[in-house]
Amino acid sequence: MNKNILSSSEKPTRTPESQALEPAKRNALTRLVRCLFAERILNPDALLWPVEHSQAWLPLWSSRKILHFTNLRRLPANTMLNHGDIEVLDEKGQRRRLDDPADLIAEISTEWSVEPAPDGVARLLSDIESSMENDALVRCHRRDWTASLKQDIETAGKSGFISYLNATLPSHQAAMVLDQWGSLEGHPFYPTWKAKPGLSAAEVKALSPECGARVNLRIAALRKDWAYAETMPHVDSYNGWFSTSYPELWYAWTEALAEEGRVPQDWLPLPIHSWHLEHFVRREFANEIASGVLVVEGPDIVTIPSMSFRTMLPDRDEPQPFIKLPVAIWMTSEQRTLQAKSIHMGPRLSTLISDILAADDDIRGKLEFFREELGAILHDPDTGDEHPGRFLSVVYREIGALARNDGWMPVTVAALLAASPVNGRPLICELIGPNGGDKSAAAEFFRSYVDVVLQPTMAMYLLYGIAFEAHQQNSTILFDPSGRPKRLVIRDFGDGRSFAPLFEARGYRLKPFTRAGILPTTFNDDIRLVRSFVIDACLVCHLHEVALCLNEQYGLTEAWSILRQGIEETFDRLRPRMLSDEFWLEERNAFLKLPWPTRSVLRMHLERYRDYRVEHELPNPLAETP
């Protein structure tokens, strides 16, 4: 070891927890470096590269120092992946290795192109520290879970994790195991990917999907005159739908009300997350409880938390609808409320999409989605105020796309990039071919995959102005028994964006949600915010990440050429149906040639979310691709 290199942290006796903390720190550094250069908070053009591109140097002019990356990979779309050490060299030539994100930030913050909020850096460091601690915690759990699953798979005589699950569990339960398994990494590059400040280690393990958690929900009762319910047209009533969807729970709930002398018809059943109930609702809604607006005693139901942490599936052999809830926990730097916009717009957009699919044979054969059939929120009958209801609300999401009997396997996209318990390779390799397949098999697979994702996503956007947030968490792919991708399933419409002139031109209507202080999601004059929603979620956070994975696993450098060809073919197929050649050319240019807009997640955090829609541009990886 070079005697001039000093480590920024001592190495204590290696316990399982400390061993897990080391990769958590590397994970944090990798995410931080990627965001710093992608968002141009550090100028990527200032990097100095030798002939062999595994090393890079970045001058820090204000401090007269140099950052040295021993293994920094430069990939399409200004993607900088750090796989080695980071050192700082001072003007005397002494090197110091930066093992911790706090060390790196201390050295580079004077070079930033943004002005953080007064507490921006401190809050960022606190959330990164929380992320690293929780990442280490769940990786210890994952180690034991992996060993157990590997033994079960071998005992069952199966060669892969996905095939094992589909042979041993009902379709919806197999899909949920994969969904929880894919929760380990979270957002592909968010720098505070596992931050849950305020939760103890025991609570993180008990509540988090990546730990295979099971969580109780309390079925409370909200007075009907204090609730607003939004439903799809086929739903006759909130209570009628609930009684049909959860019959045993409905019976227990009505019995509990009757025992207290209450008439069930005057109330709505309202699920509340168990942690949220005990740590927030009892305190913050004490007046509503005392005045009899809210009854928090009632039956419980055991649920499986999905990748989002707060969308729950009843843990039953017989599939029942998902339940999406607010949880007053700060995760990835935001408190997970469920605002009125989600309650109103989820069922409305679900209705619009259902109507479109009923009439559009081409898209209907390529797309399924989790309809948000109804939702409810606390609504003051005197003032109409629904703002406090962001902590006392619910959206129900149908389960049909997971409860299958056609042999197709639903897999949440993030799970495809998670390490298999069998061999540690991404699960997507199991689907590409026996023993993971080879480069040609990966290329063929990716062509089919791109087609399955792009065709319905782009058709809904270009023909009807509806933008799916088709990132890894919201996208599920249906695979046939041979592992070939067949269809896209999309979820989560409460915050979906749409461009009204396009769907209105085809005879459809959508009542927008407008309220002071709430960002709009339906636009009439400028399509750019709708387009950027598609590019950020579907291209940057989804297909680009799959391309990176296949490039890493198979050396598939042509992945971006395949993606470009897929977009070109999609535009060619849709051109006869688009409103004008001018619109076709403008959109084609935006997707294939212009820089890609994407959310500035690190800058938002540093600026303490003064602008939730701040974006930066990435070099379009398809612009120079043959």
Side-chain angles (χ1 to χ4, degrees):
M1 180 176 178
N2 190 323
K3 294 181 180 179
N4 285 331
I5 299 179
L6 304 176
S7 174
S8 61
S9 62
E10 295 295 327
K11 296 292 190 297
T13 302
R14 290 168 63 86
T15 64
E17 291 75 17
S18 67
Q19 291 181 49
L21 188 57
E22 291 175 15
K25 286 184 177 181
R26 289 196 297 271
N27 195 352
L29 282 169
T30 297
R31 290 165 176 271
L32 184 59
V33 167
R34 180 171 176 179
C35 286
L36 285 166
F37 286 120
E39 299 181 30
R40 303 188 74 86
I41 295 172
L42 289 180
N43 183 6
D45 300 329
L47 283 165
L48 305 174
W49 302 86
V51 176
E52 57 176 74
H53 286 194
S54 62
Q55 297 188 65
W57 287 264
L58 181 71
L60 305 175
W61 298 111
S62 62
S63 60
R64 300 174 63 86
K65 296 179 181 179
I66 295 177
L67 275 188
H68 176 219
F69 299 90
T70 64
N71 187 358
L72 184 67
R73 296 187 61 195
R74 179 170 50 183
L75 293 161
N78 196 23
T79 303
M80 303 290 183
L81 297 183
N82 180 59
H83 291 299
D85 292 335
I86 304 174
E87 303 166 349
V88 62
L89 288 73
D90 63 21
E91 57 187 354
K92 296 180 180 179
Q94 188 171 41
R95 299 168 179 249
R96 183 169 65 91
R97 192 170 66 240
L98 306 177
D99 295 328
D100 190 281
D103 294 333
L104 176 61
I105 288 173
E107 293 289 350
I108 64 174
S109 58
T110 57
E111 305 289 328
W112 287 354
S113 63
V114 302
E115 184 66 33
D119 63 341
V121 173
R123 293 289 293 272
L124 174 66
L125 289 174
S126 176
D127 280 353
I128 290 177
E129 185 69 26
S130 173
S131 291
M132 292 190 300
E133 291 172 355
N134 291 332
D135 194 45
L137 179 72
V138 299
R139 285 182 192 279
C140 286
H141 178 276
R142 181 58 59 98
R143 178 196 59 211
D144 297 336
W145 194 7
T146 295
S148 175
L149 282 171
K150 187 174 184 179
Q151 181 62 52
D152 291 343
I153 294 167
E154 290 175 356
T155 301
K158 296 295 180 180
S159 59
F161 186 30
I162 296 174
S163 60
Y164 162 75
L165 291 174
N166 281 279
T168 56
L169 291 174
S171 175
H172 68 288
Q173 291 184 345
M176 287 304 293
V177 173
L178 288 167
D179 189 273
Q180 290 196 321
W181 188 260
S183 303
L184 181 64
E185 290 296 344
H187 190 290
F189 48 84
Y190 208 104
T192 58
W193 73 109
K194 281 281 184 283
K196 296 181 180 71
L199 289 189
S200 67
E203 288 172 327
V204 169
K205 291 178 69 174
L207 301 175
S208 298
E210 54 266 47
C211 293
R214 296 296 185 272
V215 177
N216 281 351
L217 306 185
R218 171 64 50 81
I219 309 303
L222 180 63
R223 258 180 37 195
K224 190 177 290 187
D225 58 333
W226 273 79
Y228 173 82
E230 180 87 31
T231 68
M232 292 183 68
H234 70 275
V235 177
D236 291 332
S237 69
Y238 181 104
N239 282 6
W241 181 93
F242 192 96
S243 66
T244 301
S245 300
Y246 313 99
E248 295 176 5
L249 202 56
W250 169 261
Y251 176 79
W253 180 78
T254 56
E255 286 292 297
L257 284 178
E259 288 176 4
E260 297 297 324
R262 297 184 174 95
V263 180
Q265 288 75 14
D266 296 336
W267 301 82
L268 297 185
L270 184 72
I272 302 177
H273 190 284
S274 57
W275 187 96
H276 187 59
L277 173 64
E278 299 303 329
H279 293 83
F280 188 88
V281 170
R282 289 189 186 275
R283 180 184 71 247
E284 297 297 326
F285 291 97
N287 290 339
E288 286 78 5
I289 294 171
S291 64
V293 169
L294 176 67
V295 176
V296 295
E297 305 308 321
D300 290 340
I301 181 174
V302 180
T303 63
I304 309 170
S306 70
M307 195 174 292
S308 70
F309 189 92
R310 43 70 171 271
T311 299
M312 328 295 283
L313 184 71
D315 188 13
R316 297 174 58 89
D317 290 339
E318 189 70 23
Q320 293 180 326
F322 283 99
I323 303 169
K324 183 175 182 179
L325 299 169
V327 184
I329 296 173
W330 288 86
M331 290 182 286
T332 54
S333 312
E334 293 184 72
Q335 201 169 32
R336 295 300 160 175
T337 61
L338 190 58
Q339 296 189 37
K341 177 171 59 176
S342 295
I343 308 305
H344 290 254
M345 295 308 297
R348 292 178 192 174
L349 270 169
S350 294
T351 299
L352 174 59
I353 296 168
S354 294
D355 291 344
I356 290 171
L357 294 185
D360 195 313
D361 295 339
D362 182 59
I363 303 178
R364 185 172 64 248
K366 300 169 183 174
L367 176 69
E368 296 182 26
F369 73 107
F370 295 91
R371 294 187 304 175
E372 296 182 357
E373 295 184 279
L374 69 162
I377 189 169
L378 177 72
H379 174 98
D380 190 306
D382 296 322
T383 66
D385 186 13
E386 292 176 352
H387 189 61
R390 70 194 188 280
F391 293 108
L392 207 59
S393 49
V394 62
V395 166
Y396 299 96
R397 188 177 289 161
E398 71 173 355
I399 183 65
L402 298 189
R404 314 192 70 84
N405 54 17
D406 56 8
W408 287 7
M409 303 174 290
V411 184
T412 310
V413 169
L416 295 172
L417 307 185
S420 167
V422 176
N423 56 21
R425 296 188 71 186
L427 284 173
I428 197 170
C429 300
E430 290 187 6
L431 298 166
I432 289 174
N435 301 315
D438 56 17
K439 184 177 179 179
S440 62
E444 181 183 358
F445 176 92
F446 192 51
R447 286 189 187 92
S448 297
Y449 187 96
V450 165
D451 198 45
V452 163
V453 173
L454 281 180
Q455 284 200 47
T457 302
M458 296 298 290
M460 289 298 291
Y461 166 66
L462 293 172
L463 302 181
Y464 300 99
I466 296 174
F468 294 148
E469 194 175 11
H471 54 51
Q472 295 178 36
Q473 178 177 295
N474 285 349
S475 303
T476 294
I477 306 298
L478 299 177
F479 296 93
D480 69 16
S482 71
R484 187 175 182 83
K486 302 299 290 185
R487 191 174 295 165
L488 173 68
V489 186
I490 201 75
R491 75 182 78 179
D492 201 352
F493 306 106
D495 205 32
R497 298 182 192 176
S498 58
F499 188 62
L502 286 181
F503 61 74
E504 288 177 352
R506 299 179 188 274
Y508 296 98
R509 296 292 180 267
L510 176 68
K511 181 181 179 182
F513 179 85
T514 55
R515 192 155 299 174
I518 302 294
L519 294 172
T521 55
T522 304
F523 301 88
N524 290 284
D525 301 319
D526 191 347
I527 199 172
R528 286 178 297 178
L529 280 175
V530 184
R531 180 198 301 140
S532 69
F533 201 65
V534 177
I535 291 175
D536 174 57
C538 184
L539 297 186
V540 176
C541 292
H542 180 169
L543 291 173
H544 177 59
E545 292 297 316
V546 175
L548 289 171
C549 175
L550 297 181
N551 182 48
E552 177 72 22
Q553 293 295 316
Y554 298 94
L556 194 68
T557 55
E558 62 266 39
W560 290 271
S561 294
I562 293 171
L563 179 54
R564 178 183 178 88
Q565 292 163 13
I567 293 177
E568 288 175 336
E569 290 169 4
T570 299
F571 269 94
D572 289 344
R573 276 195 295 265
L574 294 175
R575 186 172 190 173
R577 300 185 61 191
M578 291 179 65
L579 292 185
S580 70
D581 282 345
E582 180 183 7
F583 177 56
W584 178 86
L585 187 60
E586 178 184 1
E587 292 298 318
R588 189 180 188 277
N589 192 51
F591 278 84
L592 291 172
K593 296 181 180 180
L594 297 181
W596 281 354
T598 185
R599 294 178 70 220
S600 302
V601 292
L602 179 55
R603 180 179 171 184
M604 278 192 286
H605 199 300
L606 286 169
E607 295 177 345
R608 301 307 305 144
Y609 294 88
R610 63 180 177 227
D611 181 358
Y612 274 85
R613 286 183 173 166
V614 63
E615 295 179 336
H616 62 281
E617 292 183 336
L618 296 175
N620 191 325
L622 313 182
E624 303 299 327
T625 300

